[in-house]
Coordinates of all heavy atoms in Angstrom, one line a residue:
C22 N -9.8 -0.9 9.6 CA -10.6 -0.2 10.6 C -12.1 -0.6 10.6 O -12.7 -0.5 11.6 CB -10.5 1.3 10.3 SG -8.9 2.1 10.7
R23 N -12.6 -1.0 9.5 CA -14.0 -1.4 9.4 C -14.2 -2.5 10.3 O -15.3 -2.7 10.9 CB -14.4 -1.6 7.9 CG -15.9 -1.9 7.8 CD -16.7 -0.7 8.1 NE -18.1 -1.1 8.2 CZ -19.0 -0.2 8.5 NH1 -18.8 1.0 8.9 NH2 -20.3 -0.6 8.7
Q24 N -13.3 -3.5 10.3 CA -13.5 -4.7 11.2 C -13.6 -4.3 12.7 O -14.3 -4.9 13.4 CB -12.3 -5.7 11.0 CG -12.4 -6.4 9.6 CD -11.2 -7.3 9.4 OE1 -10.1 -7.0 9.9 NE2 -11.4 -8.3 8.6
A25 N -12.7 -3.4 13.1 CA -12.8 -2.9 14.4 C -14.1 -2.3 14.7 O -14.7 -2.5 15.8 CB -11.6 -1.9 14.7
L26 N -14.6 -1.5 13.8 CA -15.9 -0.9 14.0 C -17.0 -1.9 14.1 O -17.9 -1.8 15.0 CB -16.2 0.1 13.0 CG -17.5 0.9 13.1 CD1 -17.6 1.7 14.4 CD2 -17.8 1.8 11.9
E27 N -16.9 -2.9 13.3 CA -17.9 -4.0 13.4 C -17.9 -4.7 14.8 O -18.8 -5.1 15.3 CB -17.7 -5.0 12.2 CG -18.1 -4.4 10.9 CD -17.7 -5.4 9.7 OE1 -17.1 -6.5 10.0 OE2 -18.0 -5.0 8.6
K28 N -16.6 -4.9 15.2 CA -16.5 -5.5 16.6 C -17.1 -4.7 17.7 O -17.7 -5.2 18.6 CB -15.0 -5.8 16.9 CG -14.5 -7.0 16.0 CD -13.0 -7.3 16.4 CE -12.5 -8.4 15.5 NZ -11.1 -8.8 15.8
L29 N -16.8 -3.3 17.6 CA -17.3 -2.4 18.6 C -18.9 -2.5 18.5 O -19.6 -2.5 19.5 CB -16.9 -1.0 18.3 CG -17.4 0.0 19.3 CD1 -17.0 -0.3 20.7 CD2 -16.8 1.4 18.9
N30 N -19.5 -2.5 17.3 CA -20.9 -2.5 17.2 C -21.5 -3.9 17.7 O -22.5 -3.8 18.4 CB -21.3 -2.4 15.7 CG -21.3 -0.9 15.3 OD1 -21.8 0.0 15.9 ND2 -20.7 -0.7 14.1
D31 N -20.8 -4.9 17.5 CA -21.3 -6.2 18.0 C -21.2 -6.2 19.5 O -22.1 -6.7 20.1 CB -20.3 -7.3 17.4 CG -20.8 -8.7 17.9 OD1 -22.0 -9.0 17.7 OD2 -19.9 -9.5 18.5
Y32 N -20.1 -5.7 20.1 CA -20.0 -5.6 21.5 C -21.1 -4.8 22.1 O -21.8 -5.1 23.1 CB -18.6 -5.1 22.0 CG -18.5 -4.9 23.5 CD1 -18.2 -6.0 24.3 CD2 -18.8 -3.7 24.1 CE1 -18.1 -5.9 25.6 CE2 -18.8 -3.6 25.5 CZ -18.4 -4.7 26.2 OH -18.3 -4.5 27.6
A33 N -21.4 -3.6 21.5 CA -22.4 -2.7 22.0 C -23.8 -3.3 21.9 O -24.6 -3.2 22.8 CB -22.4 -1.4 21.1
S34 N -24.0 -4.1 20.9 CA -25.3 -4.8 20.8 C -25.4 -5.8 21.9 O -26.5 -5.9 22.5 CB -25.3 -5.5 19.4 OG -26.6 -6.1 19.2
R35 N -24.4 -6.6 22.2 CA -24.5 -7.6 23.2 C -24.6 -6.9 24.6 O -25.2 -7.5 25.5 CB -23.3 -8.6 23.2 CG -23.3 -9.5 22.0 CD -22.2 -10.5 22.0 NE -21.0 -9.9 21.5 CZ -19.9 -9.8 22.1 NH1 -19.7 -10.3 23.3 NH2 -18.8 -9.2 21.5
A36 N -24.1 -5.8 24.7 CA -24.1 -5.1 26.1 C -25.4 -4.2 26.1 O -25.5 -3.5 27.1 CB -22.9 -4.2 26.2
E37 N -26.2 -4.3 25.1 CA -27.5 -3.5 25.0 C -27.2 -2.0 25.1 O -27.9 -1.2 25.8 CB -28.4 -3.9 26.1 CG -28.9 -5.4 26.0 CD -29.8 -5.9 27.0 OE1 -30.3 -5.0 27.9 OE2 -30.2 -7.1 27.0
R38 N -26.2 -1.6 24.4 CA -25.8 -0.1 24.2 C -25.5 0.2 22.8 O -24.7 1.1 22.5 CB -24.5 0.1 25.1 CG -24.7 -0.1 26.6 CD -23.5 0.2 27.3 NE -23.7 -0.1 28.7 CZ -22.7 0.0 29.6 NH1 -21.5 0.4 29.2 NH2 -23.0 -0.2 30.9
A39 N -26.3 -0.4 21.9 CA -26.1 -0.2 20.5 C -26.6 1.1 19.9 O -26.1 1.5 18.9 CB -26.7 -1.4 19.7
N40 N -27.4 1.8 20.6 CA -27.9 3.1 20.1 C -27.5 4.3 20.9 O -28.2 5.3 20.9 CB -29.5 3.0 20.1 CG -30.0 1.9 19.3 OD1 -29.5 1.8 18.1 ND2 -31.0 1.1 19.7
T41 N -26.2 4.3 21.3 CA -25.8 5.5 22.0 C -25.4 6.6 21.0 O -25.1 6.3 19.8 CB -24.4 5.2 22.8 OG1 -23.4 4.8 21.8 CG2 -24.6 4.1 23.8
P42 N -25.6 7.9 21.4 CA -25.3 8.9 20.4 C -23.9 8.9 19.8 O -23.8 9.2 18.6 CB -25.5 10.2 21.2 CG -26.4 9.8 22.4 CD -26.0 8.3 22.7
A43 N -22.9 8.7 20.5 CA -21.5 8.7 20.0 C -21.3 7.5 19.0 O -20.7 7.7 18.0 CB -20.5 8.7 21.1
L44 N -21.8 6.4 19.3 CA -21.6 5.2 18.4 C -22.4 5.4 17.1 O -21.9 5.1 16.1 CB -22.1 3.9 19.1 CG -21.8 2.6 18.3 CD1 -20.4 2.5 18.0 CD2 -22.3 1.4 19.1
T45 N -23.6 6.0 17.2 CA -24.3 6.4 16.0 C -23.6 7.4 15.2 O -23.5 7.2 14.0 CB -25.7 6.9 16.4 OG1 -26.4 6.0 17.2 CG2 -26.5 7.3 15.2
A46 N -23.0 8.4 15.8 CA -22.2 9.4 15.1 C -20.9 8.7 14.4 O -20.6 9.1 13.3 CB -21.8 10.5 16.0
L47 N -20.3 7.8 15.2 CA -19.1 7.1 14.6 C -19.5 6.3 13.4 O -18.8 6.3 12.4 CB -18.5 6.2 15.7 CG -17.3 5.4 15.3 CD1 -16.1 6.4 14.9 CD2 -16.8 4.5 16.5
N48 N -20.6 5.5 13.5 CA -21.1 4.8 12.3 C -21.4 5.7 11.1 O -21.1 5.4 10.0 CB -22.3 3.9 12.7 CG -21.8 2.7 13.4 OD1 -21.1 1.8 12.9 ND2 -22.3 2.5 14.6
R49 N -22.0 6.8 11.4 CA -22.4 7.7 10.3 C -21.1 8.3 9.7 O -21.0 8.5 8.5 CB -23.3 8.8 10.9 CG -24.0 9.7 9.9 CD -25.0 10.6 10.5 NE -24.7 11.2 11.7 CZ -25.4 11.0 12.9 NH1 -26.4 10.2 12.9 NH2 -25.0 11.5 14.0
H50 N -20.1 8.6 10.5 CA -18.8 9.2 10.1 C -18.1 8.2 9.0 O -17.6 8.6 8.1 CB -17.9 9.4 11.3 CG -16.6 10.0 10.9 ND1 -16.5 11.3 10.5 CD2 -15.3 9.5 10.9 CE1 -15.2 11.7 10.2 NE2 -14.6 10.6 10.5
Y51 N -18.2 6.9 9.4 CA -17.6 5.9 8.4 C -18.5 5.7 7.2 O -17.9 5.4 6.1 CB -17.5 4.5 9.1 CG -16.2 4.3 9.7 CD1 -15.9 4.6 11.0 CD2 -15.2 3.7 9.0 CE1 -14.7 4.3 11.6 CE2 -13.9 3.4 9.5 CZ -13.7 3.7 10.8 OH -12.5 3.5 11.4
G52 N -19.7 5.9 7.3 CA -20.6 5.8 6.1 C -20.8 4.4 5.8 O -20.2 3.4 6.3
P53 N -21.7 4.1 4.8 CA -22.1 2.8 4.5 C -21.0 1.9 3.8 O -20.9 0.7 3.9 CB -23.2 2.9 3.5 CG -23.1 4.3 2.9 CD -22.4 5.1 4.0
T54 N -20.0 2.6 3.2 CA -18.9 1.8 2.6 C -17.8 1.5 3.6 O -16.9 0.7 3.3 CB -18.3 2.6 1.5 OG1 -17.7 3.8 2.0 CG2 -19.3 2.9 0.4
G55 N -17.8 2.1 4.7 CA -16.7 1.9 5.7 C -15.4 2.6 5.5 O -14.4 2.2 6.1
H56 N -15.4 3.6 4.6 CA -14.2 4.3 4.3 C -14.3 5.7 4.9 O -15.3 6.3 5.1 CB -14.0 4.4 2.8 CG -13.8 3.2 2.1 ND1 -12.6 2.3 2.3 CD2 -14.6 2.4 1.4 CE1 -12.7 1.3 1.7 NE2 -13.9 1.2 1.0
R57 N -13.1 6.2 5.2 CA -13.0 7.6 5.8 C -11.8 8.3 5.1 O -11.0 7.6 4.4 CB -12.9 7.6 7.2 CG -11.6 6.9 7.7 CD -11.7 6.8 9.3 NE -10.6 6.0 9.8 CZ -9.3 6.4 9.9 NH1 -9.0 7.7 9.5 NH2 -8.4 5.7 10.3
A58 N -11.7 9.5 5.2 CA -10.6 10.3 4.6 C -9.3 9.9 5.3 O -9.2 9.6 6.5 CB -10.9 11.8 4.8
P59 N -8.2 10.0 4.5 CA -6.9 9.8 5.1 C -6.6 10.9 6.2 O -7.1 12.0 6.0 CB -5.9 9.9 4.0 CG -6.7 9.9 2.7 CD -8.1 10.2 3.1
K60 N -5.9 10.5 7.2 CA -5.5 11.5 8.3 C -6.6 12.1 8.9 O -6.7 13.3 9.2 CB -4.5 12.5 7.7 CG -3.2 11.9 7.2 CD -2.2 13.0 6.9 CE -0.9 12.2 6.3 NZ 0.1 13.1 6.0
D61 N -7.7 11.3 9.1 CA -8.9 11.8 9.7 C -8.8 11.9 11.2 O -8.9 10.9 11.9 CB -10.0 10.7 9.3 CG -11.4 11.1 9.9 OD1 -11.6 12.2 10.4 OD2 -12.2 10.2 9.9
T62 N -8.6 13.1 11.7 CA -8.4 13.3 13.2 C -9.7 13.3 13.9 O -9.7 13.1 15.1 CB -7.6 14.5 13.5 OG1 -8.2 15.7 12.9 CG2 -6.2 14.4 12.9
Q63 N -10.8 13.6 13.2 CA -12.1 13.7 13.9 C -12.5 12.3 14.4 O -13.2 12.2 15.4 CB -13.2 14.2 12.9 CG -14.5 14.3 13.6 CD -15.6 14.8 12.6 OE1 -15.4 14.8 11.4 NE2 -16.8 15.1 13.1
L64 N -12.0 11.3 13.7 CA -12.2 9.9 14.2 C -11.9 9.6 15.6 O -12.6 9.0 16.3 CB -11.5 8.9 13.3 CG -11.4 7.5 13.8 CD1 -12.8 6.8 13.6 CD2 -10.4 6.7 13.0
F65 N -10.8 10.3 16.1 CA -10.3 10.0 17.4 C -11.3 10.4 18.5 O -11.6 9.7 19.4 CB -9.0 10.7 17.7 CG -7.8 10.2 16.8 CD1 -7.0 11.1 16.2 CD2 -7.6 8.8 16.7 CE1 -5.9 10.6 15.4 CE2 -6.5 8.3 16.0 CZ -5.7 9.2 15.3
A66 N -11.9 11.6 18.3 CA -12.8 12.1 19.3 C -14.1 11.3 19.3 O -14.7 10.9 20.3 CB -13.1 13.6 19.0
L67 N -14.6 10.9 18.1 CA -15.7 10.1 17.9 C -15.5 8.7 18.6 O -16.4 8.2 19.3 CB -16.1 9.9 16.4 CG -16.6 11.1 15.7 CD1 -16.7 10.9 14.2 CD2 -18.0 11.6 16.3
L68 N -14.4 8.1 18.3 CA -14.1 6.8 18.9 C -14.0 6.8 20.4 O -14.5 6.0 21.1 CB -12.8 6.2 18.2 CG -12.4 4.8 18.6 CD1 -13.5 3.9 18.3 CD2 -11.1 4.5 18.0
R69 N -13.3 7.9 20.9 CA -13.1 8.0 22.4 C -14.5 8.1 23.1 O -14.8 7.4 24.0 CB -12.3 9.3 22.7 CG -11.9 9.4 24.1 CD -11.0 10.5 24.4 NE -10.2 11.1 23.3 CZ -10.4 12.2 22.8 NH1 -11.3 13.1 23.2 NH2 -9.6 12.6 21.8
R70 N -15.4 8.9 22.5 CA -16.8 9.1 23.1 C -17.6 7.8 22.9 O -18.2 7.4 23.9 CB -17.5 10.2 22.4 CG -17.0 11.6 22.9 CD -17.9 12.7 22.6 NE -18.3 12.8 21.1 CZ -17.6 13.5 20.2 NH1 -16.6 14.2 20.6 NH2 -17.9 13.5 19.0
A71 N -17.5 7.1 21.8 CA -18.3 5.9 21.6 C -17.8 4.8 22.5 O -18.6 4.1 23.2 CB -18.2 5.4 20.1
C72 N -16.5 4.6 22.7 CA -16.0 3.6 23.6 C -16.4 3.9 25.1 O -16.7 3.0 25.8 CB -14.4 3.5 23.5 SG -13.9 2.8 22.0
A73 N -16.4 5.2 25.4 CA -16.8 5.5 26.8 C -18.3 5.2 27.0 O -18.6 4.7 28.1 CB -16.5 7.0 27.1
E74 N -19.1 5.5 26.1 CA -20.5 5.3 26.2 C -20.8 3.8 26.2 O -21.7 3.3 27.0 CB -21.3 5.9 25.0 CG -21.5 7.4 25.2 CD -22.2 8.0 24.0 OE1 -22.7 7.3 23.1 OE2 -22.4 9.2 24.1
V75 N -20.1 3.0 25.4 CA -20.3 1.6 25.3 C -19.7 0.9 26.6 O -20.2 -0.2 27.0 CB -19.9 1.0 24.0 CG1 -19.9 -0.5 23.9 CG2 -20.7 1.6 22.9
G76 N -18.7 1.4 27.1 CA -18.0 0.8 28.2 C -16.9 -0.1 27.9 O -16.6 -1.1 28.5
T77 N -16.1 0.3 26.8 CA -15.0 -0.5 26.4 C -13.7 0.3 26.6 O -13.7 1.4 26.8 CB -15.1 -0.9 24.9 OG1 -15.0 0.3 24.1 CG2 -16.4 -1.5 24.5
G78 N -12.6 -0.4 26.4 CA -11.3 0.2 26.3 C -10.9 0.5 24.9 O -11.7 0.2 24.0
R79 N -9.9 1.2 24.7 CA -9.4 1.5 23.4 C -8.0 1.6 23.2 O -7.3 1.8 24.3 CB -10.1 2.8 22.8 CG -9.6 4.0 23.6 CD -10.3 5.3 23.1 NE -10.0 6.4 24.1 CZ -8.9 7.1 24.0 NH1 -8.0 6.9 23.1 NH2 -8.7 8.1 24.9
A80 N -7.4 1.4 22.1 CA -6.0 1.6 21.8 C -5.9 2.3 20.5 O -6.6 2.1 19.6 CB -5.3 0.2 21.7
V81 N -4.9 3.2 20.5 CA -4.7 4.1 19.3 C -3.2 3.9 18.8 O -2.3 4.0 19.6 CB -5.0 5.5 19.6 CG1 -4.7 6.4 18.4 CG2 -6.4 5.7 20.1
N82 N -3.1 3.6 17.5 CA -1.8 3.6 16.9 C -1.9 3.9 15.4 O -2.8 3.2 14.8 CB -1.1 2.2 17.2 CG 0.3 2.3 16.9 OD1 0.9 3.3 16.7 ND2 1.0 1.1 16.9
C83 N -1.1 4.7 14.9 CA -1.1 4.9 13.4 C 0.1 4.0 12.9 O 0.8 3.3 13.6 CB -0.9 6.3 13.1 SG 0.7 7.1 13.5
K84 N 0.2 4.0 11.6 CA 1.2 3.1 11.0 C 2.6 3.2 11.6 O 3.2 2.2 12.0 CB 1.3 3.3 9.5 CG 0.2 2.7 8.7 CD 0.5 2.9 7.2 CE -0.6 2.3 6.4 NZ -0.3 2.5 4.9
S85 N 3.1 4.4 11.7 CA 4.4 4.6 12.3 C 4.4 4.7 13.8 O 5.5 4.7 14.4 CB 5.0 5.9 11.6 OG 4.3 7.0 12.0
G86 N 3.2 4.9 14.4 CA 3.1 5.1 15.8 C 3.7 6.4 16.4 O 4.2 6.4 17.5
K87 N 3.7 7.4 15.5 CA 4.3 8.7 15.9 C 3.2 9.8 16.1 O 2.6 9.8 17.1 CB 5.3 9.1 14.9 CG 6.5 8.2 14.8 CD 7.5 8.7 13.8 CE 8.6 7.7 13.5 NZ 9.4 8.1 12.4
D88 N 3.1 10.6 15.1 CA 2.4 11.9 15.2 C 1.0 11.8 15.6 O 0.6 12.3 16.7 CB 2.5 12.7 13.9 CG 3.9 13.1 13.5 OD1 4.7 13.1 14.5 OD2 4.2 13.3 12.4
R89 N 0.1 11.1 14.9 CA -1.3 11.1 15.2 C -1.5 10.3 16.5 O -2.4 10.6 17.3 CB -2.1 10.4 14.1 CG -2.4 11.5 13.0 CD -3.0 10.8 11.8 NE -1.9 10.2 11.0 CZ -2.1 9.2 10.2 NH1 -3.2 8.7 10.0 NH2 -1.0 8.7 9.5
T90 N -0.7 9.3 16.8 CA -0.9 8.6 18.0 C -0.6 9.5 19.2 O -1.4 9.6 20.2 CB 0.0 7.4 18.2 OG1 -0.3 6.5 17.0 CG2 -0.2 6.6 19.4
A91 N 0.5 10.2 19.2 CA 0.9 11.2 20.2 C -0.2 12.3 20.3 O -0.5 12.7 21.5 CB 2.3 11.8 19.9
L92 N -0.7 12.8 19.2 CA -1.7 13.9 19.3 C -2.9 13.4 19.9 O -3.5 14.1 20.7 CB -2.0 14.4 17.9 CG -0.9 15.2 17.2 CD1 -1.3 15.5 15.7 CD2 -0.7 16.5 18.0
E93 N -3.3 12.1 19.6 CA -4.6 11.6 20.3 C -4.4 11.4 21.8 O -5.3 11.8 22.5 CB -5.0 10.3 19.6 CG -5.9 9.4 20.4 CD -7.2 10.1 20.9 OE1 -7.6 11.2 20.4 OE2 -7.9 9.6 21.7
L94 N -3.2 10.9 22.1 CA -3.0 10.7 23.6 C -3.0 12.1 24.4 O -3.5 12.2 25.4 CB -1.7 9.9 23.8 CG -1.8 8.5 23.3 CD1 -0.4 7.9 23.4 CD2 -2.8 7.7 24.0
A95 N -2.3 13.1 23.7 CA -2.3 14.4 24.3 C -3.6 15.0 24.4 O -4.1 15.6 25.4 CB -1.4 15.3 23.5
K96 N -4.5 14.9 23.3 CA -5.8 15.4 23.4 C -6.7 14.7 24.4 O -7.5 15.3 25.1 CB -6.4 15.2 21.9 CG -7.9 15.6 21.8 CD -8.1 17.1 21.7 CE -9.5 17.4 21.4 NZ -10.3 17.9 22.5
A97 N -6.6 13.4 24.5 CA -7.3 12.6 25.4 C -7.0 13.1 26.9 O -7.9 13.2 27.8 CB -7.1 11.1 25.3
A98 N -5.7 13.2 27.1 CA -5.3 13.7 28.5 C -5.8 15.1 28.8 O -6.3 15.3 29.9 CB -3.7 13.6 28.6
A99 N -5.7 15.9 27.8 CA -6.2 17.3 28.0 C -7.7 17.3 28.3 O -8.2 18.1 29.1 CB -5.9 18.1 26.8
D100 N -8.5 16.5 27.6 CA -9.9 16.4 27.7 C -10.2 15.9 29.2 O -11.2 16.3 29.8 CB -10.6 15.5 26.8 CG -10.6 16.1 25.4 OD1 -10.4 17.4 25.2 OD2 -10.9 15.4 24.4
E101 N -9.4 15.0 29.7 CA -9.7 14.4 31.0 C -9.4 15.5 32.1 O -10.0 15.6 33.1 CB -8.8 13.2 31.3 CG -9.4 12.1 30.5 CD -8.5 10.8 30.6 OE1 -7.9 10.7 31.6 OE2 -8.7 9.9 29.8
I102 N -8.4 16.4 31.9 CA -8.0 17.4 32.8 C -9.1 18.5 32.8 O -9.4 19.0 33.9 CB -6.7 18.0 32.5 CG1 -5.6 16.9 32.7 CG2 -6.4 19.2 33.3 CD1 -4.2 17.3 32.2
V103 N -9.6 18.8 31.7 CA -10.6 19.9 31.6 C -11.9 19.5 32.1 O -12.6 19.0 32.5 CB -10.7 20.5 30.2 CG1 -11.8 21.5 30.0 CG2 -9.3 21.0 29.8

């Protein structure tokens, strides 16, 4: 996950969008070591907002591709409707 965050930061920097509020919050959430708690669902909302602000796409999948992936997709759809 840390590599993906580094790529997002690199893209944001090249796109001159490195200091957006959501990307700053996402980097703070990971902390300096790049680790986060297991089953961290807050990450999904932070990542969704950061990608929207930076102007990128995103893909979500957990190891088994079941529960958390389905929950994130349902949450994203609900947020777009509301």
